mmCIF file of all heavy atoms in Angstrom:
data_model
loop_
_atom_site.group_PDB
_atom_site.id
_atom_site.type_symbol
_atom_site.label_atom_id
_atom_site.label_comp_id
_atom_site.label_asym_id
_atom_site.label_seq_id
_atom_site.Cartn_x
_atom_site.Cartn_y
_atom_site.Cartn_z
ATOM 1 N N GLY A 1 0.253 -29.419 21.055
ATOM 2 C CA GLY A 1 -1.006 -28.696 20.918
ATOM 3 C C GLY A 1 -2.155 -29.500 20.348
ATOM 4 O O GLY A 1 -3.274 -29.015 20.270
ATOM 5 N N ASP A 2 -1.903 -30.739 19.979
ATOM 6 C CA ASP A 2 -2.932 -31.568 19.365
ATOM 7 C C ASP A 2 -3.953 -32.034 20.400
ATOM 8 O O ASP A 2 -3.582 -32.566 21.449
ATOM 9 C CB ASP A 2 -2.268 -32.778 18.692
ATOM 10 C CG ASP A 2 -3.195 -33.518 17.764
ATOM 11 O OD1 ASP A 2 -3.870 -32.860 16.952
ATOM 12 O OD2 ASP A 2 -3.228 -34.752 17.838
ATOM 13 N N ARG A 3 -5.225 -31.794 20.143
ATOM 14 C CA ARG A 3 -6.352 -32.236 20.969
ATOM 15 C C ARG A 3 -6.262 -31.769 22.423
ATOM 16 O O ARG A 3 -6.521 -32.524 23.346
ATOM 17 C CB ARG A 3 -6.520 -33.749 20.876
ATOM 18 C CG ARG A 3 -6.953 -34.170 19.482
ATOM 19 C CD ARG A 3 -6.970 -35.638 19.326
ATOM 20 N NE ARG A 3 -5.585 -36.093 19.116
ATOM 21 C CZ ARG A 3 -5.246 -37.332 18.874
ATOM 22 N NH1 ARG A 3 -6.156 -38.257 18.821
ATOM 23 N NH2 ARG A 3 -3.998 -37.657 18.687
ATOM 24 N N LYS A 4 -5.932 -30.523 22.610
ATOM 25 C CA LYS A 4 -5.879 -29.942 23.955
ATOM 26 C C LYS A 4 -7.223 -29.351 24.376
ATOM 27 O O LYS A 4 -7.489 -29.158 25.550
ATOM 28 C CB LYS A 4 -4.818 -28.832 24.030
ATOM 29 C CG LYS A 4 -3.402 -29.350 23.952
ATOM 30 C CD LYS A 4 -3.079 -30.117 25.191
ATOM 31 C CE LYS A 4 -1.595 -30.334 25.323
ATOM 32 N NZ LYS A 4 -1.279 -31.032 26.546
ATOM 33 N N PHE A 5 -8.077 -29.025 23.403
ATOM 34 C CA PHE A 5 -9.388 -28.429 23.661
ATOM 35 C C PHE A 5 -10.465 -29.416 23.219
ATOM 36 O O PHE A 5 -10.290 -30.132 22.238
ATOM 37 C CB PHE A 5 -9.551 -27.118 22.884
ATOM 38 C CG PHE A 5 -8.548 -26.077 23.271
ATOM 39 C CD1 PHE A 5 -7.293 -26.053 22.682
ATOM 40 C CD2 PHE A 5 -8.857 -25.117 24.222
ATOM 41 C CE1 PHE A 5 -6.359 -25.093 23.045
ATOM 42 C CE2 PHE A 5 -7.929 -24.153 24.592
ATOM 43 C CZ PHE A 5 -6.677 -24.151 24.005
ATOM 44 N N MET A 6 -11.587 -29.422 23.962
ATOM 45 C CA MET A 6 -12.633 -30.377 23.645
ATOM 46 C C MET A 6 -13.974 -29.821 24.090
ATOM 47 O O MET A 6 -14.051 -29.067 25.064
ATOM 48 C CB MET A 6 -12.349 -31.694 24.377
ATOM 49 C CG MET A 6 -13.365 -32.775 24.179
ATOM 50 S SD MET A 6 -12.879 -34.350 24.955
ATOM 51 C CE MET A 6 -13.097 -33.988 26.694
ATOM 52 N N LEU A 7 -15.027 -30.206 23.377
ATOM 53 C CA LEU A 7 -16.380 -29.904 23.818
ATOM 54 C C LEU A 7 -16.938 -31.144 24.500
ATOM 55 O O LEU A 7 -16.710 -32.270 24.056
ATOM 56 C CB LEU A 7 -17.268 -29.537 22.628
ATOM 57 C CG LEU A 7 -16.954 -28.221 21.930
ATOM 58 C CD1 LEU A 7 -17.926 -28.008 20.773
ATOM 59 C CD2 LEU A 7 -17.002 -27.042 22.881
ATOM 60 N N VAL A 8 -17.652 -30.910 25.605
ATOM 61 C CA VAL A 8 -18.321 -31.987 26.325
ATOM 62 C C VAL A 8 -19.798 -31.641 26.447
ATOM 63 O O VAL A 8 -20.183 -30.463 26.359
ATOM 64 C CB VAL A 8 -17.697 -32.234 27.726
ATOM 65 C CG1 VAL A 8 -16.245 -32.665 27.608
ATOM 66 C CG2 VAL A 8 -17.826 -31.010 28.625
ATOM 67 N N ASP A 9 -20.621 -32.662 26.668
ATOM 68 C CA ASP A 9 -22.052 -32.414 26.855
ATOM 69 C C ASP A 9 -22.312 -31.990 28.296
ATOM 70 O O ASP A 9 -21.378 -31.832 29.095
ATOM 71 C CB ASP A 9 -22.871 -33.634 26.429
ATOM 72 C CG ASP A 9 -22.665 -34.867 27.304
ATOM 73 O OD1 ASP A 9 -22.102 -34.762 28.421
ATOM 74 O OD2 ASP A 9 -23.080 -35.960 26.867
ATOM 75 N N ALA A 10 -23.579 -31.813 28.629
ATOM 76 C CA ALA A 10 -23.957 -31.345 29.972
ATOM 77 C C ALA A 10 -23.505 -32.288 31.076
ATOM 78 O O ALA A 10 -23.333 -31.877 32.220
ATOM 79 C CB ALA A 10 -25.468 -31.136 30.037
ATOM 80 N N ASN A 11 -23.285 -33.564 30.738
ATOM 81 C CA ASN A 11 -22.832 -34.550 31.720
ATOM 82 C C ASN A 11 -21.322 -34.746 31.719
ATOM 83 O O ASN A 11 -20.809 -35.625 32.413
ATOM 84 C CB ASN A 11 -23.532 -35.887 31.475
ATOM 85 C CG ASN A 11 -25.026 -35.782 31.663
ATOM 86 O OD1 ASN A 11 -25.488 -35.213 32.652
ATOM 87 N ND2 ASN A 11 -25.785 -36.289 30.717
ATOM 88 N N GLY A 12 -20.606 -33.965 30.918
ATOM 89 C CA GLY A 12 -19.146 -34.055 30.898
ATOM 90 C C GLY A 12 -18.595 -35.100 29.952
ATOM 91 O O GLY A 12 -17.405 -35.398 29.997
ATOM 92 N N TYR A 13 -19.434 -35.674 29.076
ATOM 93 C CA TYR A 13 -18.952 -36.683 28.122
ATOM 94 C C TYR A 13 -18.422 -36.006 26.857
ATOM 95 O O TYR A 13 -19.040 -35.080 26.334
ATOM 96 C CB TYR A 13 -20.067 -37.666 27.759
ATOM 97 C CG TYR A 13 -20.380 -38.628 28.868
ATOM 98 C CD1 TYR A 13 -21.357 -38.336 29.808
ATOM 99 C CD2 TYR A 13 -19.669 -39.820 28.988
ATOM 100 C CE1 TYR A 13 -21.639 -39.220 30.837
ATOM 101 C CE2 TYR A 13 -19.940 -40.707 30.022
ATOM 102 C CZ TYR A 13 -20.922 -40.392 30.937
ATOM 103 O OH TYR A 13 -21.184 -41.260 31.974
ATOM 104 N N ALA A 14 -17.302 -36.475 26.381
ATOM 105 C CA ALA A 14 -16.672 -35.936 25.180
ATOM 106 C C ALA A 14 -17.634 -35.960 24.002
ATOM 107 O O ALA A 14 -18.337 -36.944 23.779
ATOM 108 C CB ALA A 14 -15.421 -36.748 24.837
ATOM 109 N N LEU A 15 -17.652 -34.856 23.269
ATOM 110 C CA LEU A 15 -18.452 -34.790 22.052
ATOM 111 C C LEU A 15 -17.532 -34.983 20.859
ATOM 112 O O LEU A 15 -16.501 -34.322 20.751
ATOM 113 C CB LEU A 15 -19.171 -33.448 21.962
ATOM 114 C CG LEU A 15 -20.303 -33.276 22.977
ATOM 115 C CD1 LEU A 15 -20.786 -31.837 23.012
ATOM 116 C CD2 LEU A 15 -21.450 -34.222 22.660
ATOM 117 N N THR A 16 -17.907 -35.901 20.000
ATOM 118 C CA THR A 16 -17.150 -36.155 18.776
ATOM 119 C C THR A 16 -18.064 -35.866 17.590
ATOM 120 O O THR A 16 -19.249 -35.561 17.761
ATOM 121 C CB THR A 16 -16.660 -37.609 18.712
ATOM 122 O OG1 THR A 16 -17.812 -38.471 18.622
ATOM 123 C CG2 THR A 16 -15.821 -37.984 19.937
ATOM 124 N N GLN A 17 -17.529 -36.000 16.393
ATOM 125 C CA GLN A 17 -18.329 -35.765 15.198
ATOM 126 C C GLN A 17 -19.482 -36.752 15.078
ATOM 127 O O GLN A 17 -20.472 -36.454 14.420
ATOM 128 C CB GLN A 17 -17.451 -35.830 13.955
ATOM 129 C CG GLN A 17 -16.498 -34.664 13.848
ATOM 130 C CD GLN A 17 -15.614 -34.753 12.628
ATOM 131 O OE1 GLN A 17 -15.911 -35.460 11.668
ATOM 132 N NE2 GLN A 17 -14.509 -34.024 12.654
ATOM 133 N N LYS A 18 -19.386 -37.904 15.723
ATOM 134 C CA LYS A 18 -20.499 -38.863 15.690
ATOM 135 C C LYS A 18 -21.739 -38.282 16.350
ATOM 136 O O LYS A 18 -22.857 -38.479 15.893
ATOM 137 C CB LYS A 18 -20.112 -40.172 16.381
ATOM 138 C CG LYS A 18 -19.139 -41.011 15.589
ATOM 139 C CD LYS A 18 -18.810 -42.286 16.337
ATOM 140 C CE LYS A 18 -17.761 -43.074 15.593
ATOM 141 N NZ LYS A 18 -17.361 -44.280 16.306
ATOM 142 N N ARG A 19 -21.550 -37.576 17.449
ATOM 143 C CA ARG A 19 -22.679 -36.988 18.184
ATOM 144 C C ARG A 19 -22.945 -35.543 17.789
ATOM 145 O O ARG A 19 -24.056 -35.053 17.969
ATOM 146 C CB ARG A 19 -22.407 -37.061 19.688
ATOM 147 C CG ARG A 19 -22.500 -38.495 20.199
ATOM 148 C CD ARG A 19 -22.442 -38.623 21.696
ATOM 149 N NE ARG A 19 -23.358 -37.748 22.406
ATOM 150 C CZ ARG A 19 -23.108 -37.285 23.629
ATOM 151 N NH1 ARG A 19 -22.001 -37.616 24.264
ATOM 152 N NH2 ARG A 19 -23.970 -36.498 24.225
ATOM 153 N N LEU A 20 -21.938 -34.861 17.288
ATOM 154 C CA LEU A 20 -22.058 -33.443 16.940
ATOM 155 C C LEU A 20 -21.354 -33.218 15.591
ATOM 156 O O LEU A 20 -20.243 -32.698 15.540
ATOM 157 C CB LEU A 20 -21.414 -32.605 18.055
ATOM 158 C CG LEU A 20 -21.761 -31.136 18.153
ATOM 159 C CD1 LEU A 20 -23.256 -30.923 18.398
ATOM 160 C CD2 LEU A 20 -20.960 -30.480 19.267
ATOM 161 N N PRO A 21 -21.980 -33.656 14.492
ATOM 162 C CA PRO A 21 -21.326 -33.632 13.180
ATOM 163 C C PRO A 21 -20.806 -32.259 12.757
ATOM 164 O O PRO A 21 -19.783 -32.164 12.076
ATOM 165 C CB PRO A 21 -22.417 -34.120 12.218
ATOM 166 C CG PRO A 21 -23.391 -34.852 13.068
ATOM 167 C CD PRO A 21 -23.327 -34.226 14.429
ATOM 168 N N GLN A 22 -21.473 -31.184 13.188
ATOM 169 C CA GLN A 22 -21.036 -29.849 12.773
ATOM 170 C C GLN A 22 -19.673 -29.465 13.342
ATOM 171 O O GLN A 22 -19.054 -28.509 12.888
ATOM 172 C CB GLN A 22 -22.100 -28.789 13.073
ATOM 173 C CG GLN A 22 -22.426 -28.604 14.534
ATOM 174 C CD GLN A 22 -23.608 -29.419 15.006
ATOM 175 O OE1 GLN A 22 -23.718 -30.604 14.718
ATOM 176 N NE2 GLN A 22 -24.493 -28.798 15.776
ATOM 177 N N LEU A 23 -19.153 -30.224 14.310
ATOM 178 C CA LEU A 23 -17.795 -29.995 14.817
ATOM 179 C C LEU A 23 -16.776 -30.019 13.681
ATOM 180 O O LEU A 23 -15.780 -29.297 13.721
ATOM 181 C CB LEU A 23 -17.417 -31.062 15.844
ATOM 182 C CG LEU A 23 -17.522 -30.712 17.307
ATOM 183 C CD1 LEU A 23 -17.272 -31.938 18.167
ATOM 184 C CD2 LEU A 23 -16.609 -29.595 17.686
ATOM 185 N N ALA A 24 -17.021 -30.833 12.678
ATOM 186 C CA ALA A 24 -16.089 -30.989 11.558
ATOM 187 C C ALA A 24 -15.861 -29.688 10.802
ATOM 188 O O ALA A 24 -14.865 -29.554 10.093
ATOM 189 C CB ALA A 24 -16.598 -32.064 10.602
ATOM 190 N N THR A 25 -16.748 -28.728 10.958
ATOM 191 C CA THR A 25 -16.626 -27.471 10.207
ATOM 192 C C THR A 25 -15.945 -26.364 11.009
ATOM 193 O O THR A 25 -15.733 -25.279 10.477
ATOM 194 C CB THR A 25 -18.014 -26.981 9.739
ATOM 195 O OG1 THR A 25 -18.813 -26.656 10.887
ATOM 196 C CG2 THR A 25 -18.712 -28.042 8.900
ATOM 197 N N TYR A 26 -15.614 -26.623 12.268
ATOM 198 C CA TYR A 26 -15.042 -25.586 13.131
ATOM 199 C C TYR A 26 -13.612 -25.898 13.553
ATOM 200 O O TYR A 26 -13.273 -27.045 13.813
ATOM 201 C CB TYR A 26 -15.881 -25.424 14.408
ATOM 202 C CG TYR A 26 -17.227 -24.793 14.167
ATOM 203 C CD1 TYR A 26 -18.356 -25.577 14.013
ATOM 204 C CD2 TYR A 26 -17.359 -23.414 14.072
ATOM 205 C CE1 TYR A 26 -19.596 -25.008 13.785
ATOM 206 C CE2 TYR A 26 -18.596 -22.828 13.844
ATOM 207 C CZ TYR A 26 -19.707 -23.631 13.703
ATOM 208 O OH TYR A 26 -20.929 -23.057 13.468
ATOM 209 N N THR A 27 -12.823 -24.835 13.633
ATOM 210 C CA THR A 27 -11.511 -24.894 14.274
ATOM 211 C C THR A 27 -11.614 -24.082 15.557
ATOM 212 O O THR A 27 -12.593 -23.348 15.761
ATOM 213 C CB THR A 27 -10.412 -24.281 13.383
ATOM 214 O OG1 THR A 27 -10.699 -22.882 13.199
ATOM 215 C CG2 THR A 27 -10.305 -24.991 12.042
ATOM 216 N N LEU A 28 -10.623 -24.172 16.385
ATOM 217 C CA LEU A 28 -10.576 -23.350 17.589
ATOM 218 C C LEU A 28 -10.614 -21.869 17.212
ATOM 219 O O LEU A 28 -11.327 -21.071 17.819
ATOM 220 C CB LEU A 28 -9.311 -23.685 18.388
ATOM 221 C CG LEU A 28 -9.237 -23.157 19.801
ATOM 222 C CD1 LEU A 28 -10.360 -23.700 20.668
ATOM 223 C CD2 LEU A 28 -7.894 -23.507 20.412
ATOM 224 N N GLU A 29 -9.878 -21.518 16.165
ATOM 225 C CA GLU A 29 -9.811 -20.125 15.716
ATOM 226 C C GLU A 29 -11.159 -19.640 15.185
ATOM 227 O O GLU A 29 -11.546 -18.501 15.427
ATOM 228 C CB GLU A 29 -8.726 -19.953 14.652
ATOM 229 C CG GLU A 29 -7.312 -20.116 15.173
ATOM 230 C CD GLU A 29 -6.900 -21.584 15.388
ATOM 231 O OE1 GLU A 29 -7.581 -22.515 14.869
ATOM 232 O OE2 GLU A 29 -5.915 -21.813 16.094
ATOM 233 N N SER A 30 -11.880 -20.493 14.458
ATOM 234 C CA SER A 30 -13.172 -20.045 13.918
ATOM 235 C C SER A 30 -14.186 -19.856 15.045
ATOM 236 O O SER A 30 -15.014 -18.948 14.986
ATOM 237 C CB SER A 30 -13.691 -21.003 12.842
ATOM 238 O OG SER A 30 -14.013 -22.273 13.369
ATOM 239 N N LEU A 31 -14.120 -20.674 16.092
ATOM 240 C CA LEU A 31 -14.997 -20.466 17.240
ATOM 241 C C LEU A 31 -14.623 -19.188 17.983
ATOM 242 O O LEU A 31 -15.498 -18.439 18.412
ATOM 243 C CB LEU A 31 -14.946 -21.673 18.184
ATOM 244 C CG LEU A 31 -15.612 -22.945 17.666
ATOM 245 C CD1 LEU A 31 -15.418 -24.082 18.666
ATOM 246 C CD2 LEU A 31 -17.097 -22.721 17.382
ATOM 247 N N ALA A 32 -13.327 -18.923 18.105
ATOM 248 C CA ALA A 32 -12.871 -17.704 18.788
ATOM 249 C C ALA A 32 -13.300 -16.456 18.027
ATOM 250 O O ALA A 32 -13.488 -15.394 18.627
ATOM 251 C CB ALA A 32 -11.357 -17.734 18.960
ATOM 252 N N ALA A 33 -13.479 -16.570 16.727
ATOM 253 C CA ALA A 33 -13.952 -15.436 15.928
ATOM 254 C C ALA A 33 -15.440 -15.168 16.178
ATOM 255 O O ALA A 33 -15.913 -14.053 15.988
ATOM 256 C CB ALA A 33 -13.706 -15.692 14.446
ATOM 257 N N LEU A 34 -16.168 -16.185 16.636
ATOM 258 C CA LEU A 34 -17.598 -16.046 16.898
ATOM 259 C C LEU A 34 -17.906 -15.614 18.324
ATOM 260 O O LEU A 34 -18.925 -14.970 18.573
ATOM 261 C CB LEU A 34 -18.315 -17.369 16.608
ATOM 262 C CG LEU A 34 -18.247 -17.859 15.165
ATOM 263 C CD1 LEU A 34 -18.828 -19.261 15.052
ATOM 264 C CD2 LEU A 34 -18.980 -16.889 14.243
ATOM 265 N N THR A 35 -17.047 -15.986 19.262
ATOM 266 C CA THR A 35 -17.260 -15.646 20.666
ATOM 267 C C THR A 35 -15.919 -15.668 21.407
ATOM 268 O O THR A 35 -15.066 -16.493 21.094
ATOM 269 C CB THR A 35 -18.254 -16.620 21.344
ATOM 270 O OG1 THR A 35 -18.538 -16.155 22.665
ATOM 271 C CG2 THR A 35 -17.710 -18.032 21.400
ATOM 272 N N PRO A 36 -15.726 -14.775 22.368
ATOM 273 C CA PRO A 36 -14.486 -14.831 23.147
ATOM 274 C C PRO A 36 -14.397 -16.153 23.918
ATOM 275 O O PRO A 36 -15.377 -16.611 24.497
ATOM 276 C CB PRO A 36 -14.610 -13.653 24.114
ATOM 277 C CG PRO A 36 -15.641 -12.756 23.511
ATOM 278 C CD PRO A 36 -16.571 -13.650 22.749
ATOM 279 N N LEU A 37 -13.226 -16.758 23.879
ATOM 280 C CA LEU A 37 -12.999 -18.022 24.588
ATOM 281 C C LEU A 37 -12.216 -17.728 25.859
ATOM 282 O O LEU A 37 -11.009 -17.534 25.822
ATOM 283 C CB LEU A 37 -12.235 -19.005 23.687
ATOM 284 C CG LEU A 37 -12.899 -19.352 22.360
ATOM 285 C CD1 LEU A 37 -12.029 -20.320 21.562
ATOM 286 C CD2 LEU A 37 -14.298 -19.930 22.566
ATOM 287 N N HIS A 38 -12.941 -17.676 26.983
ATOM 288 C CA HIS A 38 -12.323 -17.335 28.268
ATOM 289 C C HIS A 38 -12.237 -18.578 29.146
ATOM 290 O O HIS A 38 -13.253 -19.151 29.530
ATOM 291 C CB HIS A 38 -13.114 -16.241 28.984
ATOM 292 C CG HIS A 38 -13.134 -14.945 28.245
ATOM 293 N ND1 HIS A 38 -12.008 -14.180 28.057
ATOM 294 C CD2 HIS A 38 -14.148 -14.300 27.623
ATOM 295 C CE1 HIS A 38 -12.318 -13.106 27.375
ATOM 296 N NE2 HIS A 38 -13.610 -13.148 27.083
ATOM 297 N N LEU A 39 -11.014 -18.947 29.493
ATOM 298 C CA LEU A 39 -10.733 -20.120 30.312
ATOM 299 C C LEU A 39 -10.765 -19.759 31.793
ATOM 300 O O LEU A 39 -10.329 -18.685 32.187
ATOM 301 C CB LEU A 39 -9.347 -20.664 29.927
ATOM 302 C CG LEU A 39 -8.883 -21.967 30.550
ATOM 303 C CD1 LEU A 39 -9.781 -23.116 30.131
ATOM 304 C CD2 LEU A 39 -7.447 -22.258 30.122
ATOM 305 N N THR A 40 -11.286 -20.663 32.622
ATOM 306 C CA THR A 40 -11.240 -20.484 34.074
ATOM 307 C C THR A 40 -10.096 -21.329 34.623
ATOM 308 O O THR A 40 -9.457 -22.072 33.888
ATOM 309 C CB THR A 40 -12.555 -20.941 34.757
ATOM 310 O OG1 THR A 40 -12.645 -22.360 34.684
ATOM 311 C CG2 THR A 40 -13.778 -20.302 34.120
ATOM 312 N N ASN A 41 -9.881 -21.255 35.926
ATOM 313 C CA ASN A 41 -8.904 -22.146 36.562
ATOM 314 C C ASN A 41 -9.624 -23.267 37.306
ATOM 315 O O ASN A 41 -9.039 -23.956 38.112
ATOM 316 C CB ASN A 41 -7.971 -21.367 37.493
ATOM 317 C CG ASN A 41 -8.717 -20.694 38.620
ATOM 318 O OD1 ASN A 41 -9.937 -20.775 38.712
ATOM 319 N ND2 ASN A 41 -7.997 -20.008 39.483
ATOM 320 N N ARG A 42 -10.895 -23.462 37.002
ATOM 321 C CA ARG A 42 -11.722 -24.482 37.654
ATOM 322 C C ARG A 42 -11.677 -25.787 36.857
ATOM 323 O O ARG A 42 -12.023 -25.830 35.689
ATOM 324 C CB ARG A 42 -13.158 -23.990 37.754
ATOM 325 C CG ARG A 42 -14.042 -24.933 38.484
ATOM 326 C CD ARG A 42 -15.413 -24.334 38.754
ATOM 327 N NE ARG A 42 -16.329 -25.429 39.008
ATOM 328 C CZ ARG A 42 -17.447 -25.634 38.348
ATOM 329 N NH1 ARG A 42 -17.820 -24.801 37.422
ATOM 330 N NH2 ARG A 42 -18.202 -26.665 38.630
ATOM 331 N N LYS A 43 -11.247 -26.854 37.518
ATOM 332 C CA LYS A 43 -11.204 -28.162 36.879
ATOM 333 C C LYS A 43 -12.524 -28.884 37.097
ATOM 334 O O LYS A 43 -13.125 -28.800 38.170
ATOM 335 C CB LYS A 43 -10.064 -29.011 37.442
ATOM 336 C CG LYS A 43 -8.707 -28.546 36.996
ATOM 337 C CD LYS A 43 -7.622 -29.467 37.503
ATOM 338 C CE LYS A 43 -6.262 -28.951 37.065
ATOM 339 N NZ LYS A 43 -5.171 -29.764 37.601
ATOM 340 N N ILE A 44 -12.951 -29.581 36.049
ATOM 341 C CA ILE A 44 -14.151 -30.399 36.141
ATOM 342 C C ILE A 44 -13.824 -31.793 35.609
ATOM 343 O O ILE A 44 -12.945 -31.939 34.752
ATOM 344 C CB ILE A 44 -15.347 -29.789 35.368
ATOM 345 C CG1 ILE A 44 -15.033 -29.660 33.869
ATOM 346 C CG2 ILE A 44 -15.756 -28.455 35.976
ATOM 347 C CD1 ILE A 44 -16.233 -29.298 33.016
ATOM 348 N N PRO A 45 -14.512 -32.812 36.101
ATOM 349 C CA PRO A 45 -14.281 -34.164 35.569
ATOM 350 C C PRO A 45 -14.953 -34.298 34.204
ATOM 351 O O PRO A 45 -16.075 -33.837 34.004
ATOM 352 C CB PRO A 45 -14.945 -35.067 36.611
ATOM 353 C CG PRO A 45 -15.966 -34.217 37.268
ATOM 354 C CD PRO A 45 -15.460 -32.808 37.214
ATOM 355 N N VAL A 46 -14.238 -34.905 33.275
ATOM 356 C CA VAL A 46 -14.801 -35.187 31.953
ATOM 357 C C VAL A 46 -14.512 -36.642 31.605
ATOM 358 O O VAL A 46 -13.585 -37.245 32.136
ATOM 359 C CB VAL A 46 -14.250 -34.242 30.859
ATOM 360 C CG1 VAL A 46 -14.642 -32.796 31.151
ATOM 361 C CG2 VAL A 46 -12.756 -34.352 30.715
#
């Protein structure tokens, strides 16, 4: 389960704490508490 979920920018590039420092304050669960996390079956290149 380690690093299975990731945020990417509009161009599909991985976002890390270097580019998005506030990531350090969120877990998957804390984001799910703020908004429903609905997965599609559509694959995109990242």
Side-chain angles (χ1 to χ4, degrees):
D2 193 47
R3 293 173 281 184
K4 290 291 195 178
F5 299 85
M6 178 175 72
L7 292 180
V8 298
D9 66 15
N11 297 313
Y13 287 91
L15 289 169
T16 65
Q17 290 179 20
K18 287 180 184 177
R19 289 188 50 209
L20 198 61
Q22 63 266 47
L23 260 173
T25 65
Y26 289 97
T27 64
L28 193 61
E29 291 78 16
S30 66
L31 289 177
L34 298 172
T35 186
L37 302 179
H38 296 293
L39 186 64
T40 70
N41 61 359
R42 184 171 160 236
K43 288 184 181 176
I44 61 170
V46 297

